[in-house]
Amino acid sequence: MVIAGAGGLIGTALCASYRYGGHDVTRLVRREPSTADERRWDPADPDPALVDGADVLVNLAGSPLTGRWTAARTELVRSSRVTTARALRTMADGAGTPVFLSASGIRWYGIDRGDEELTEASDPGPYEGVLPRVARDWEDAAGPGAVHLRLGLVLSRRGGLLKALLPLYRAGLGMRFGKGQEFWSHVSLADAVGAIRFLAKLPGAGGPYNVTAPHPARNRDFAAALGRALRRPVALGVPFAVLRPALGGVAAEVFGGLNVLPARLEEAGFGFRHPDVDTAIRAALTDG
């Protein structure tokens, strides 16, 4: 098992999960290795020898989506995903690695598609916006033989959007964004890790898999569930216009509604531990 992006939220949890089960894990890093399980690599010079003998290669690399979206940051978000996926595809092919799983995102389906139920059989929608273009180029770079992990909003108190929201909610400043009608297709960190492990050993796995809980929540229901879990009020509504100075032109993309369902995972027999927003948030508040 070789993992790129092992220092991120999902990567850290995935490494811990495999090691707990007695598996050997090698982490690809871009700095000098500091432990015996690390190997330095360069996306500009992909070396298949670094993954030689691995039965599975997992790509979770990518610059975080948090922070102000300047032109330079937008390019970093894109290159850290597309260039890295292409390099890892080259390494997997050169080493003959049988299973290559590569992160992607549900923005492959677009920015906001209302209540439309979206499965892996759905079309990609309009080719517009930063994140949809990145997601589609990301998958193209990983290649048609990869397992494309179309990750939803991963919930954990240790990172991502939930970590940013917790101080506000604990201070009694709970809020919904926009009109509150938008679907936020989420997944608990435990289920994201479980899905990756499930797909890594699923015979014949390939193509896109939506890594999202089977019961997506609307923005307002997500806010209410987080308020209930923390026993704090949720009384505020924040329009997207307020978020634009902090996020730049992608504010609407980050919070746009997509009602994404994990059809292929469920058909393959994967069982979600946290199928709805209440169970996912409770798990997120106690993980790690």
Side-chain angles (χ1 to χ4, degrees):
M1 163 69 63
V2 178
I3 301 176
L9 178 65
I10 302 174
T12 299
L14 183 64
C15 285
S17 176
Y18 270 115
R19 284 176 176 153
Y20 183 79
H23 297 272
D24 292 328
V25 178
T26 297
R27 300 182 295 166
L28 296 181
V29 298
R30 302 190 192 186
R31 49 171 171 74
E32 285 297 325
S34 58
T35 59
D37 66 339
E38 294 182 342
R39 296 177 186 171
R40 186 176 186 178
W41 81 298
D42 182 357
D45 184 22
D47 182 2
L50 294 174
V51 298
D52 189 43
D55 55 350
V56 179
L57 173 60
V58 182
N59 171 30
L60 297 171
S63 177
L65 298 179
T66 54
R68 180 169 173 77
W69 282 65
T70 62
R73 179 158 188 76
T74 299
E75 177 53 31
L76 177 60
V77 165
R78 184 185 187 282
S79 64
S80 66
R81 287 162 172 75
V82 177
T83 302
T84 299
R86 186 176 294 116
L88 291 169
R89 173 81 270 173
T90 297
M91 291 165 64
D93 289 345
T97 306
V99 180
F100 177 40
L101 296 91
S102 186
S104 177
I106 59 173
R107 292 298 160 195
W108 187 92
Y109 298 105
I111 297 173
D112 193 323
R113 293 176 66 168
D115 292 354
E116 180 184 359
E117 292 187 348
L118 302 168
T119 71
E120 295 87 351
S122 299
D123 65 65
Y127 192 83
E128 59 185 22
V130 172
L131 296 181
R133 288 195 298 271
V134 167
R136 293 165 201 175
D137 291 347
W138 202 359
E139 292 193 11
D140 287 344
V147 172
H148 302 293
L149 306 165
R150 290 182 182 165
L151 292 154
L153 176 63
V154 180
L155 301 183
S156 170
R157 64 186 177 89
R158 291 181 284 157
L161 178 64
L162 187 59
K163 181 180 178 181
L165 291 179
L166 284 176
L168 296 173
Y169 273 71
R170 284 173 173 150
L173 299 175
M175 66 191 74
R176 58 174 174 76
F177 298 95
K179 297 179 180 178
Q181 297 287 337
E182 299 83 1
F183 274 100
W184 282 9
S185 294
H186 63 277
V187 64
S188 71
L189 179 59
D191 278 337
V193 168
I196 294 170
R197 293 195 59 167
F198 177 83
L199 292 170
K201 62 182 181 181
L202 180 67
Y209 287 84
N210 294 333
V211 185
T212 57
H215 302 294
R218 295 186 188 272
N219 177 330
R220 67 188 181 197
D221 298 325
F222 180 97
L226 184 53
R228 283 194 299 272
L230 296 173
R231 299 181 181 179
R232 293 291 189 273
V234 179
L236 301 177
V238 180
F240 284 131
V242 174
L243 301 172
R244 201 167 292 277
L247 295 174
V250 299
E253 297 186 33
V254 172
F255 294 104
L258 294 173
N259 184 14
V260 181
L261 304 176
R264 292 193 70 199
L265 268 176
E266 292 198 301
E267 288 168 4
F270 179 70
F272 285 85
R273 294 171 58 189
H274 311 115
D276 56 63
V277 68
D278 284 288
T279 56
I281 284 178
R282 285 198 297 271
L285 294 178
T286 58
D287 65 7

